[in-house]
Amino acid sequence: MDEETRHHWNLIRTATGIDWSGRTRYAAAMYFHQKGEMSAEVLEIYRICSRLDAEDPLSVLRRWNIGKEWIDRMTGEDG
């Protein structure tokens, strides 16, 4: 993993509940979407959650049964 990707990987894993954390995760999600590593529907969940710092996008994805590949990557990869 190159330095820029590692940086965005850390950003997308920003803990919930921190001021601006939703926007931080969304910015990183845009990076992964532009690289073709995240679907548009998963990106949309990150967009919706971007103003909701306490909302975990992975929980939303699980609730709506979308983005299984992304969830697996987020929960199974050490970054």
Side-chain angles (χ1 to χ4, degrees), residues 7-31:
H7 173 71
H8 284 90
W9 188 248
N10 289 331
L11 292 177
I12 204 156
R13 291 179 153 200
T14 301
T16 58
I18 300 169
D19 286 347
W20 292 85
S21 62
R23 289 171 180 87
T24 299
R25 288 187 297 272
Y26 179 53
M30 287 289 295
Y31 171 82

Side-chain angles (χ1 to χ4, degrees), residues 2-79:
D2 64 41
E3 188 175 327
E4 183 176 13
T5 300
R6 184 173 306 283
H7 173 71
H8 284 90
W9 188 248
N10 289 331
L11 292 177
I12 204 156
R13 291 179 153 200
T14 301
T16 58
I18 300 169
D19 286 347
W20 292 85
S21 62
R23 289 171 180 87
T24 299
R25 288 187 297 272
Y26 179 53
M30 287 289 295
Y31 171 82
F32 288 109
H33 176 70
Q34 289 175 349
K35 286 184 64 178
E37 297 180 20
M38 176 186 284
S39 71
E41 66 183 351
V42 171
L43 177 64
E44 179 65 5
I45 296 300
Y46 277 88
R47 185 194 67 76
I48 292 166
C49 293
S50 69
R51 304 227 24 216
L52 307 170
D53 295 332
E55 188 71 54
D56 179 8
L58 295 180
S59 294
V60 175
L61 291 169
R62 285 183 190 103
R63 205 172 317 137
W64 289 93
N65 295 316
I66 59 175
K68 181 178 177 351
E69 298 84 15
W70 183 254
I71 292 168
D72 290 347
R73 182 172 180 194
M74 287 290 293
T75 58
E77 186 173 316
D78 288 336

